Amino acid sequence: MRIDIVTLFPGIFVGPLQESILGRARAKGLVEIGVINLRDWAEGRHRVTDDYPFGGGGGMVLKPEPLFACVEGLRRPGSRVVLLDPQGRRFSQDVARELAKVEHLILLCGRYEGVDERVREHLADDEISIGDYVLTGGELPALVVTDAVVRLLPGALGDAEAPGKDSFGAGLLEGPHYTRPEEFRGWRVPEALLSGDHARIAGWRRAQALWLTWQRRPDLLETAELSPEEQKLIEEFRQGKKPEA
Ligand code: SAM
């Protein structure tokens, strides 16, 4: 997979792209990530990338010419051009899974008041928002999308099954994790996890995942695929029963 990120502020990406799982995935050749300075695609001595909005109002708008030139230089069959935009469709684990199958992502980072509307209408294939709030630029959203997508690529995580067990992976929140010590300030690790009984541990984890989802994100239960036993557990929660602590 290749991801090209088009930005006016390439320096923002230096740390995040070389650390931890993203850095290792690049070193292993699972993903190539290019950070492209939009200014390099602007014409004229001053390489101007933004201009005043027609009709007045504060703020600047990213000009269409450098964005079109840059994307037309990068695009090839199999590319998907994604504009990061608070007005786009909401990013989620499902969208991350969808994007992880794309051969070549081109992520366009807006700035200031945003991009000229013709970029949205005639250049972007997709528009993604990472949530209902407004950031100063598309760089952090591009990093969020890149991180969520790259960790799904086969070989990116030490445990290949981790994405399926993570929250949203199987439609539920994931249950709690504990590590050593067994007792910390008087708080003990749940007995089931220390039992060495794999079936009991799996049952405990599943019950905890269901419980947390029922408590924190009941909306997820409407679409999660639940076995008859799991549906029974949810029914018991409704009647006031708690899972084994
Ligand atoms: N004036 C725009 C509006 O009200 O819709 C907001 C522009 S914002 C200050 C500048 C840029 O940051 C946007 O063009 C976009 O690339 C990025 N951005 C801000 N919030 C975002 C979000 N929640 N998701 C994705 N991109 C975002």
Side-chain angles (χ1 to χ4, degrees):
M1 175 180 211
R2 183 172 172 91
I3 303 176
D4 281 311
I5 302 170
V6 180
T7 172
L8 275 177
F9 298 96
I12 291 176
F13 296 89
V14 175
L17 292 185
Q18 68 190 24
E19 299 290 336
S20 186
I21 287 168
L22 281 182
R24 283 203 297 275
R26 293 171 72 201
K28 285 196 227 167
L30 303 177
V31 61
E32 285 172 37
I33 303 181
V35 178
I36 288 105
N37 191 338
L38 182 61
R39 205 166 293 289
D40 293 342
W41 292 84
E43 298 209 329
R45 202 154 56 91
H46 298 294
R47 297 192 171 273
V48 175
T49 52
D50 55 288
D51 209 335
Y52 294 98
F54 277 123
M60 302 297 274
V61 176
L62 288 190
K63 288 164 68 57
E65 307 95 307
L67 282 162
F68 272 77
C70 177
V71 168
E72 284 160 4
L74 294 170
R75 192 156 49 188
R76 54 179 200 229
S79 301
R80 184 176 320 178
V81 181
V82 179
L83 175 65
L84 282 315
D85 194 302
Q87 302 178 17
R89 65 181 173 133
R90 183 77 67 84
F91 193 56
S92 67
Q93 192 66 15
D94 282 344
V95 177
R97 273 193 286 261
E98 179 194 318
L99 297 184
K101 294 185 194 129
V102 175
E103 218 173 282
H104 179 208
L105 281 177
I106 302 176
L107 304 180
L108 304 182
C109 305
R111 272 275 154 180
Y112 317 123
E113 278 307 310
V115 300
D116 184 285
E117 190 64 12
R118 288 161 289 191
V119 171
R120 183 201 307 279
E121 287 175 348
H122 305 293
L123 189 64
D125 303 313
D126 200 352
E127 293 163 43
I128 288 182
S129 162
I130 62 160
D132 286 351
Y133 41 81
V134 176
L135 298 162
T136 51
E139 288 74 14
L140 295 178
L143 278 169
V144 167
V145 169
T146 300
D147 188 291
V149 166
V150 170
R151 72 190 290 287
L152 294 177
L153 299 179
L157 299 180
D159 174 6
E161 289 175 10
K165 293 185 281 186
D166 281 334
S167 295
F168 315 110
L172 299 175
L173 300 183
E174 193 182 27
H177 299 281
Y178 292 88
T179 185
R180 279 176 287 206
E182 278 183 31
E183 185 172 327
F184 171 67
R185 297 188 176 178
W187 301 306
R188 283 194 57 73
V189 171
E191 216 39 59
L193 293 179
L194 305 174
S195 68
D197 175 343
H198 294 301
R200 183 175 169 204
I201 293 170
W204 183 88
R205 287 196 168 132
R206 190 69 181 160
Q208 289 290 326
L210 284 167
W211 169 252
L212 292 181
T213 309
W214 182 70
Q215 285 205 311
R216 296 174 184 172
R217 290 293 303 276
D219 56 300
L220 295 177
L221 293 173
E222 286 161 25
T223 47
E225 282 179 25
L226 300 180
S227 67
E229 296 89 84
E230 290 169 336
Q231 285 168 1
K232 195 169 150 237
L233 265 180
I234 298 287
E235 196 40 52
E236 289 173 359
F237 297 158
R238 285 200 183 99
Q239 288 162 14
K241 191 174 165 193
K242 289 187 178 172
E244 178 193 352

